[in-house]
Amino acid sequence: MFQVVRKVLGAACLAVGVFGAAAQAADLKIGFKAEVTSADPHVLNSANRNIWAHVYDSLVDQDPLLRPRPGLALSWRMVTPTTWEFKLRPNVKFHNGAAMTADDVKYSIERAMSLPGPRTFRSYLREVDTVSVSDPLTIQVKSKHVSPTMPDNLGLIAIVPKSLGGNVTEDSFANGKSAIGTGPYMFANWAHGQKLVLKKNPAYWGEKEPWDTVTFQFIPREPARAAALLSGSVDIINDITANMESSFRGNYQVASVTSYMLNYLALDQFRDSSPFIKDASGAPLKKNPLKELKVRQALMTAINRDAIIKFLMKGDATASEQLVPKGFLGYDPALKLPAYDLGKAKALLAEAGYPNGFQLTIHCPNNRYINDAKLCEAVAQVFSQIGIKTEVATMPYAVFQTRAFGGGPNGEPEFSVFLVGNGAVTGDSLTGLVSTIHSFNKASATGVSNYGRYGNKEVDALIEKASATTDEAARAALQRQAANMALHDGAIVPLLHLNAAWAMRKNIVITPRADAFTRAMDIRVK
């Protein structure tokens, strides 16, 4: 299981808490780091998913470890190797009072499949062939191939009423007219850049919520979020870092958990000459050293993950040698990458034909992940110690993502070595294997996050076999085998899994989730 840490900071409980005498209603106020980018629940964004999960349900819910559990679907089964059948929960009402039926589910899936734009759920729905309605409470989803993770992927799709039609707009969602779900909370209002307010759905089909209203106050800066909690403006804040704990004095507690978000180095393995690599004298290299296995192994062996956690990340991350954290499907307790050894790393470079090393620039965002720029500086330091003279170029994530993921010729990734954050949002390593490790193939939507364009036919075959294996234990074994082979082959250089952490009033408690979501449904008064 993943580790949950709670630390009480201070002693006395608040005299006036969330349900204090000053407020008759049960109002929860959350200091939230990220702003919502879209009111359309079918636009893919982590902050959006976090907030709209209050308003919209999906077929399959996720537990704190992101494993599937019943949502709007009471049960599901594979009726043929390429057909999944879902039995829907009866007597579920949308916020407008209309009954939720299989027609609404079909509409929602097809809308998510066809929604234009760069940030959609299409990659998760790439295996869907057709969606058909058997009766008002039964739906069948036919896949193009055997798809054992279909329920997990469909669980990412918000269910909205078919009555919205084919031309529903962002403005219609944003002003609340089309913000109609079946979730425990209803849309109230959204002040862009400031806050978003939800109100309790009294007709919710599931567990009744204690909060009458939930307000997400958007506070991007860490000191400002801490100040909001200390002043009593909010009850809980997300995305706190270890160095923020000293800001709290009494009456507060902290909860944290290892999240699914993996920080790793992507390595250019597709260009014969990589643009940000030079020889030891600074002249262009005709041959890309990252194509050499021993060079990739040297980089892997130079990384001291334990030191990174101890001296840089502290409580903000967990050292990682694989794609998913402990507790996720596909985690391999036996998987061990080469141990930190600078002498061995230097020897590997020499064996690869680079006894004098070479020059390298690592590119990184400076405002996306906790300590992202400092993490790259730490990596650059150890690479320089083995003879790879390494510089670090940092930039805002808005600039970085455009260049890193498609800024090169023909829309290819631009950089030679760069820091990426990605993870298994379904709690299953197959997600990362298909998107990050499998060879890039635009037509089949595999390797869409394989920014280094790593390719290994044996690994691909294992991933494809796992993708077609319906027995979960057998599939997990194949995924472990594929991950072991790929990581020892230097597909990527895993560094750490970020921890998710919250600070809150001492009289409330949160159940931490591996997706780092801050959900009112997981927050209760002690």
Side-chain angles (χ1 to χ4, degrees):
M1 294 294 289
F2 66 171
Q3 183 180 16
V4 176
V5 178
R6 282 195 176 90
K7 185 184 297 182
V8 176
L9 305 175
C13 190
L14 293 175
V16 179
V18 180
F19 286 106
Q24 296 300 313
D27 301 322
L28 178 65
K29 295 182 179 179
I30 300 170
F32 199 66
K33 179 179 179 179
E35 163 73 288
V36 173
T37 63
S38 173
D40 189 328
H42 294 151
V43 172
L44 178 58
N45 173 278
S46 179
N48 298 359
R49 286 186 60 225
N50 185 151
I51 290 180
W52 299 130
H54 294 74
V55 177
Y56 305 95
D57 292 314
S58 60
L59 281 178
V60 181
D61 193 18
Q62 292 178 310
D63 70 12
L65 263 179
L66 311 188
R67 301 303 297 137
R69 63 185 180 189
L72 291 178
L74 277 174
S75 64
W76 50 91
R77 66 188 181 105
M78 183 179 281
V79 293
T80 74
T82 58
T83 304
W84 282 93
E85 181 179 82
F86 296 83
K87 291 291 186 178
L88 305 183
R89 194 178 295 273
N91 304 316
V92 174
K93 302 286 187 182
F94 283 106
H95 298 155
N96 62 1
M100 186 277 299
T101 71
D103 286 326
D104 302 302
V105 175
K106 173 180 166 67
Y107 165 80
S108 300
I109 296 171
E110 292 177 343
R111 182 179 188 272
M113 290 171 63
S114 61
L115 191 71
R119 298 290 294 168
T120 70
F121 290 89
R122 287 194 303 272
S123 64
Y124 293 100
L125 301 175
R126 69 187 185 282
E127 292 293 339
V128 175
D129 186 15
T130 60
V131 183
S132 60
V133 173
S134 303
D135 62 54
L137 293 178
T138 306
I139 191 163
Q140 290 194 343
V141 179
K142 186 174 178 57
S143 58
K144 298 172 184 175
H145 313 282
V146 177
S147 182
T149 58
M150 181 68 77
D152 299 359
N153 293 332
L154 291 177
L156 301 174
I157 308 304
I159 303 304
V160 296
K162 181 182 177 181
S163 59
L164 294 182
N167 298 311
V168 61
T169 64
E170 167 67 25
D171 287 344
S172 186
F173 281 112
N175 63 28
K177 180 181 178 182
S178 296
I180 304 167
T182 60
Y185 292 93
M186 300 185 291
F187 181 94
N189 64 77
W190 177 17
H192 291 257
Q194 300 177 45
K195 64 181 181 180
L196 188 145
V197 181
L198 308 172
K199 59 184 179 181
K200 180 163 63 176
N201 173 14
Y204 183 54
W205 58 266
E207 179 184 351
K208 303 306 178 186
E209 286 295 301
W211 312 112
D212 293 311
T213 65
V214 176
T215 301
F216 285 87
Q217 294 187 6
F218 304 125
I219 312 174
R221 295 183 60 249
E222 292 175 341
R225 285 201 306 286
L229 179 61
L230 292 169
S231 69
S233 298
V234 299
D235 305 303
I236 183 171
I237 59 176
N238 76 329
D239 272 19
I240 71 163
T241 56
N243 61 15
M244 288 177 68
E245 287 189 9
S246 61
S247 302
F248 305 113
R249 292 292 183 270
N251 307 319
Y252 305 98
Q253 64 178 346
V254 169
S256 65
V257 68
T258 303
S259 83
Y260 73 88
M261 180 60 73
L262 175 68
N263 275 176
Y264 63 90
L265 296 179
L267 311 175
D268 174 6
Q269 301 184 45
F270 69 99
R271 281 177 283 229
D272 292 329
S273 178
S274 197
F276 294 96
I277 299 178
K278 310 295 181 185
D279 70 14
S281 66
L285 268 174
K286 294 182 179 180
K287 186 178 180 181
N288 177 2
L290 298 176
K291 284 189 161 188
E292 294 288 338
L293 174 59
K294 288 187 176 180
V295 171
R296 300 196 300 272
Q297 289 174 334
L299 300 181
M300 194 85 73
T301 307
I303 300 295
N304 188 339
R305 294 173 182 82
D306 291 336
I308 288 172
I309 299 302
K310 181 177 180 180
F311 298 110
L312 174 62
M313 301 302 293
K314 299 181 171 63
D316 294 329
T318 301
S320 182
E321 297 180 294
Q322 51 189 297
L323 299 177
V324 293
K326 187 177 181 180
F328 279 36
L329 187 72
Y331 175 81
D332 186 355
L335 174 56
K336 301 294 180 185
L337 294 181
Y340 167 66
D341 188 331
L342 292 181
K344 183 177 180 181
K346 290 179 183 178
L348 284 166
L349 276 182
E351 291 172 19
Y354 300 93
N356 299 318
F358 50 86
Q359 296 184 18
L360 167 69
T361 299
I362 296 178
H363 289 81
C364 305
N366 57 19
N367 63 349
R368 177 64 178 90
Y369 312 108
I370 297 172
N371 290 331
D372 44 14
K374 291 180 179 179
L375 177 59
C376 289
E377 290 167 3
V379 169
Q381 185 176 13
V382 294
F383 284 176
S384 294
Q385 289 174 357
I386 65 171
I388 302 174
K389 184 179 179 181
T390 305
E391 296 182 352
V392 176
T394 68
M395 62 201 73
Y397 187 71
V399 176
F400 173 85
Q401 67 176 344
T402 300
R403 296 181 61 187
F405 307 146
N410 303 314
E412 292 286 1
E414 179 180 347
F415 303 138
S416 299
V417 177
F418 49 106
L419 182 70
V420 178
N422 218 327
V425 298
T426 60
D428 188 329
S429 70
L430 189 60
T431 302
L433 288 168
V434 169
S435 65
T436 303
I437 302 300
H438 193 285
S439 299
F440 174 72
N441 187 313
K442 187 175 182 179
S444 64
T446 52
V448 293
S449 299
N450 183 352
Y451 303 119
R453 300 297 190 254
Y454 166 78
N456 182 317
K457 291 182 179 179
E458 288 184 68
V459 172
D460 286 352
L462 286 169
I463 296 172
E464 289 161 12
K465 187 175 181 180
S467 298
T469 299
T470 57
D471 179 84
E472 189 172 276
R475 178 164 67 84
L478 288 166
Q479 291 169 207
R480 290 192 294 268
Q481 187 180 354
N484 194 313
M485 183 180 295
L487 293 174
H488 279 97
D489 198 27
I492 60 173
V493 180
L495 300 173
L496 52 87
H497 277 98
L498 293 172
N499 291 345
W502 300 260
M504 68 211 79
R505 296 175 186 250
K506 190 182 174 185
N507 64 333
I508 64 174
V509 64
I510 186 171
T511 300
R513 295 176 55 85
D515 54 16
F517 283 4
T518 307
R519 309 191 320 172
M521 297 82 80
D522 300 317
I523 301 172
R524 295 292 185 260
V525 174
K526 283 186 176 181

